[in-house]
Amino acid sequence: MPSTLLAKPNINYLLSSTAMALCSAFCPRISANFRPKPFSSSPSKPLLSLSFKVFSSQATDASSQDKFSGRVGFLGLGIMGSPMAQNLIKAGCDVIVWNRTKSKCDPLISLGAKYRSSPEEVAANCDVTFAMLADPESAIDVACGKNGAVRGMGPGKGYIDISTVDVATSKLINEHIKARGALFLEAPVSGSKKPAEDGQLIFLTAGKKSLYELVSPLLDILGKSRFYLGEVGNGAAMKLVVNMIMGSMMASFSEGILLSKKVGLDPSVLVEVVSQGAISAPMYSLKGPSMVKSQYPTAFPLKHQQKDLRLALGLAESVSQSTPIAAAANELYKVAKSYGLSDEDFSAVIEALKAKSQDTA
């Protein structure tokens, strides 16, 4: 199924008057109830006029029907990496794990995984190595730093980076992997903790097609669908666009919940109404009931959502595409972080709006 993604941006100077007012309104006055890294990551050249090929995990292409028989490495066992590695182990894969905090490896070792003390050792002992890291800096360090995975790579091996990073980071890691004679695939995922646990992630892959085909059986263990998007950088770009939309949606949903309550409506009923209408989205039905109760069990940390918005704005700026709504949403998430909400679920962004309402009351 052919598809086309066109990107073209200029950011902060083209904010609409509404978004400008919103941004200025979000300049924080820190609430007594809360306590208080910018990263400029614009790719060096304009990116994309892409066409992609789409595959479902239920597709009948031969690669998805063959079982992967090699040894699999997994680097990074956080909120997403741990359940993903666990699903590979449960599916019978021979898995070697590593994490900066070794104790996070212990539950997986008890399930049958082996442990190595560095990314280099994992990569050296595996046919393919997955990496799920928190941000571009961590992804580069684990791949290219001291005792990094690159040092353990060589001809016949593959490196699959499933972290959410910017295009420049993905291309940098690709170059280092290629220099060792190995293959690289970027494969960021759409989905959070529960889809990771259930093997229902969506993979947005780009890079070496032969590696994509080789690891398709593994992707099908971990996810419900997979997209092959062509050259390295396209997977990272797609993920940032998706998460930019998601972050903006959550900010708007938060405003709606608070407005409904302010005018005397039951916000729980609003969530139900939204879930039955044309704007229904699983995110609203899943997060809404907890948000109404001011509960934010972490599935996708707020700090990661703000990081993804920041990277998406950098992507947009690199191709002169105006993104005023995302820019305004990013300011709101930054305020939420300043209130100490970084490790809460990204739905906790509603608390930043509550604090602003109290400040202006």
Side-chain angles (χ1 to χ4, degrees):
M1 180 188 302
S3 224
T4 303
L5 173 66
L6 296 172
K8 213 184 157 7
N10 189 311
I11 299 183
N12 296 336
Y13 302 106
L14 296 179
L15 292 175
S16 69
S17 57
T18 301
M20 286 273 249
L22 186 58
C23 283
S24 62
F26 290 153
C27 291
R29 280 172 41 192
I30 306 302
S31 164
N33 297 326
F34 301 98
R35 289 295 314 157
K37 148 172 147 186
F39 177 76
S40 176
S41 174
S42 301
S44 57
K45 32 187 180 186
L47 279 168
L48 318 165
S49 178
L50 317 172
S51 84
F52 349 113
K53 223 170 156 184
V54 179
F55 297 93
S56 159
S57 61
Q58 287 77 37
T60 56
D61 60 303
S63 63
S64 68
Q65 297 182 6
D66 297 331
K67 184 175 180 180
F68 182 85
S69 58
R71 182 172 286 169
V72 182
F74 209 103
L75 310 174
L77 301 173
I79 196 168
M80 297 289 289
S82 183
M84 294 174 75
Q86 184 170 316
N87 284 339
L88 291 173
I89 296 166
K90 288 180 177 178
C93 298
D94 184 4
V95 179
I96 299 179
V97 297
W98 171 87
N99 192 74
R100 282 194 175 101
T101 305
K102 198 266 183 180
S103 60
K104 290 190 175 181
C105 298
D106 294 339
L108 297 170
I109 294 170
S110 69
L111 292 175
K114 302 176 183 67
Y115 170 77
R116 293 291 183 274
S117 61
S118 71
E120 177 182 358
E121 289 184 40
V122 172
N125 285 277
C126 292
D127 298 287
V128 298
T129 301
F130 286 82
M132 173 58 98
L133 291 315
D135 51 44
E137 296 89 341
S138 298
I140 292 172
D141 184 52
V142 168
C144 309
K146 183 180 179 182
N147 301 319
V150 166
R151 294 176 177 271
M153 301 301 294
K157 293 179 180 290
Y159 191 79
I160 304 97
D161 194 342
I162 50 181
S163 317
T164 299
V165 299
D166 58 301
V167 173
T169 294
S170 197
K171 289 185 175 182
L172 175 65
I173 295 172
N174 175 48
E175 290 305 315
H176 281 271
I177 296 295
K178 282 172 58 180
R180 301 287 294 190
L183 306 179
F184 178 78
L185 188 75
E186 60 174 354
V189 298
S190 182
S192 57
K193 181 181 178 182
K194 188 66 163 61
E197 292 172 344
D198 296 343
Q200 293 292 300
L201 296 167
I202 301 168
F203 284 90
L204 308 172
T205 73
K208 196 67 175 177
K209 183 70 176 293
S210 59
L211 181 56
Y212 168 76
E213 292 170 343
L214 177 68
V215 301
S216 287
L218 300 177
L219 302 183
D220 292 346
I221 291 168
L222 301 171
K224 64 180 180 180
S225 60
R226 47 188 165 86
F227 294 74
Y228 181 75
L229 307 176
E231 296 181 357
V232 171
N234 294 350
M238 180 68 84
K239 177 59 188 297
L240 293 179
V241 171
V242 168
N243 278 20
M244 180 188 77
I245 295 170
M246 181 173 73
S248 300
M249 287 172 63
M250 180 56 76
S252 180
F253 187 49
S254 298
E255 289 181 327
I257 289 175
L258 294 181
L259 177 59
S260 68
K261 186 174 182 179
K262 199 76 175 272
V263 299
L265 300 173
D266 183 343
S268 297
V269 176
L270 170 69
V271 172
E272 187 175 349
V273 170
V274 168
S275 71
Q276 296 186 30
I279 61 169
S280 174
M283 180 178 76
Y284 296 151
S285 299
L286 180 65
K287 304 289 186 183
S290 296
M291 292 170 71
V292 170
K293 298 175 184 176
S294 300
Q295 297 173 355
Y296 315 106
T298 305
F300 181 48
L302 186 144
K303 63 186 177 185
H304 293 334
Q305 175 62 79
Q306 193 276 317
K307 177 262 296 182
D308 293 349
L309 277 166
R310 169 172 56 79
L311 295 178
L313 292 173
L315 174 66
E317 187 173 28
S318 73
V319 288
S320 302
Q321 172 62 50
S322 175
T323 50
I325 294 171
N330 184 50
E331 293 303 311
L332 181 59
Y333 284 95
K334 286 163 64 177
V335 171
K337 283 176 63 179
S338 76
Y339 288 168
L341 300 170
S342 291
D343 293 321
E344 299 291 327
D345 188 75
F346 79 115
S347 55
V349 71
I350 194 173
E351 292 293 335
L353 285 166
K354 288 180 183 178
K356 178 60 184 173
S357 296
Q358 291 167 1
D359 286 347
T360 57

